[in-house]
Amino acid sequence: MNTPQNPWLQAAQQFQQSALQQWGQMLQAHPSAATPQPAFAPFAAPGGVDLNAMLSKVVGQPVQVEPTRLLQIQSDYLKDLAQLWNQGLQVKPPQDKRFAAPAWSSNPLSAYAAAVYQLNARTLVALADAVQADAKTRARIQFAVLQWIEASAPSNFLAFNAEAQQKALETKGESLAQGIKNLLHDLEQGHVSMTDESAFEVGKNVATTEGQVVFENELFQLIQYKPLTDKVHQRPFLLVPPCINKFYILDLQPDNSLVRYAVEQGMTTFVVSWCNPDASLAHKTWDDYIEDALIKAIEVVREITRAEQINALGFCVGGTMLGTALAVLAARGEKPVASATFLTAFLDFSDTGVLDVFIDENSVRLREQQFANGGLMPGRDLATTFSFLRPTDLVWNYVVGNYLKGETPPPFDLLYWNSDSTNLPGPFYAWYLRHTYLQNQLCQPGALSVCGQPVDLGRIDIPVYIYGSREDHIVPIAGAYASTRHLPGPKRFVMGASGHIAGVINPARKGKRSHWVGSTEQFPPQLDGWLASATERPGSWWTDWADWLKGHAGALVAAPKGYGSRKYKAIEPAPGRYVKVKA
């Protein structure tokens, strides 16, 4: 079902679509026929979109730019443009990985297009920064302008991409022919290929840790993994991945599987494998997922292992859901979880970074109207949104490689997982948008009622391990740290290098990147205060976390010899059926 969208988002999408149409038309153009296009002319927008009209559409009212700054921007632009013009055919392409190939330097037209593009981009960013508006409006303008800038890069157009032209000549047109094949293939599958998807199969070379499905209902399957040690800790361990993605980000391949690593540490390990919703689940709500998935999974793990308490981990949205479930259980006077780990997860949504530009009252109300009687939020729409948070790396890089150069991207398990999207029940999604991103009520004691209970994170009085990634654009590091303000029990906060996924999936044995640890007694209100006294350590945060988890996992006992229990018998081998269902 299509619904109206915010003007700023429509503008950003128009830029993307316009640029896609342009490079699609240029795909069959001969390099010798190339002439400068409006996309690279001074102050011109892709497809002839007027800049002032675009910014006004983004804001929803006439745009006002501070006059003094506007004059300075115009002056700087004209001066830099004159310098480029005076260089003539001696212009060199800017220092940018998109223009780094020698072919860009040896082709004057392409070099000039790249240099003018960089000047235009710099000027547009300055104009967006100069708009007189509140912080959120300015952030939306900056986001829309970023989409425009990235879509307009001359590297995205065969008429200007000297590297793609050179390859076409060297291969006698074979690269262009292959590019068209790649384009038709991606149109058929419905998304741009980021990796050679034919190289992977779930259960064959990803999601391969040995185990059995020991419980299932309409929302999830529960997988129990085979022990890899003779003895295990008494207290079992449950991993809750985000339902917006499939669980095997935590179990890609043996050498980068967090699931396998937990099993190797002597944990009796379980994971929630979410159902990929279809129309039969289009009415499911946040309450349904908390009661019938999170709380049910905790109950089943306890029953199978006969443990009074378990340890649990929630990743991303899975962490938000875990925190909600623990608050509901606490309100009921129950404490079945002894310790919790929150990986790049929001409990406090006061700092959501760039995602904040997507959320306002109108956009949330539209979703609520759309899903008032049920429905599905398509996984592909969500995946596209996340990709355009990093458009150069996750969109245009593959457009250029796949279609202009006729290349097949190399096999990469993480990107295969990234392309394997999942749907969400519409009512679940609309509730999530309003009460977390828009109103930030989860961290306000008593502001929400979930499963008939008032939610108060302050009642989750258990040890917690909170991890955030320094360069995360989905859960900014300050947003992850904010959880320390609301959880009253013993805390350990750790910051890892890199982003939302690469920071988390950082195998201990590879010794890559760094992580930072700090005091477990003092947690200043803001992240900067914690960083001031934090200590950097080389290598993955996994080892630090494993040592912490073992401290809450109880004594070592003989490993179980089978799966499940009399009540919960093994159903099928891991990774199960649910994870294989395509959106």
Side-chain angles (χ1 to χ4, degrees), residues 438-458:
L438 181 64
Q439 297 179 341
N440 192 25
Q441 292 177 304
L442 185 60
C443 65
Q444 302 172 31
L448 286 178
S449 177
V450 177
C451 302
Q453 301 294 333
V455 173
D456 183 357
L457 299 178

Side-chain angles (χ1 to χ4, degrees), residues 52-71:
N52 290 330
M54 178 274 288
L55 292 179
S56 296
K57 185 179 293 186
V58 170
V59 180
Q61 60 189 28
V63 168
Q64 296 293 325
V65 178
E66 201 282 314
T68 303
R69 290 189 65 186
L70 179 58
L71 288 173

Side-chain angles (χ1 to χ4, degrees), residues 369-398:
Q369 293 171 355
Q370 178 184 2
F371 299 126
N373 298 313
L376 293 176
M377 181 63 193
R380 181 49 48 199
D381 290 359
L382 293 169
T384 299
T385 297
F386 285 118
S387 291
F388 275 104
L389 297 181
R390 293 170 55 200
T392 295
D393 293 334
L394 296 180
V395 180
W396 300 109
N397 174 52
Y398 298 102

Side-chain angles (χ1 to χ4, degrees), residues 312-316 318-320 322-324 326 340-347 460 462-468 480 483 487:
L313 176 152
F315 178 26
C316 190
T320 306
L322 175 61
T324 306
L326 293 178
T341 299
F342 296 96
L343 299 185
T344 61
F346 282 128
L347 296 178
I460 306 175
I462 60 175
V464 294
Y465 188 102
I466 303 169
Y467 168 85
S483 296
L487 300 172

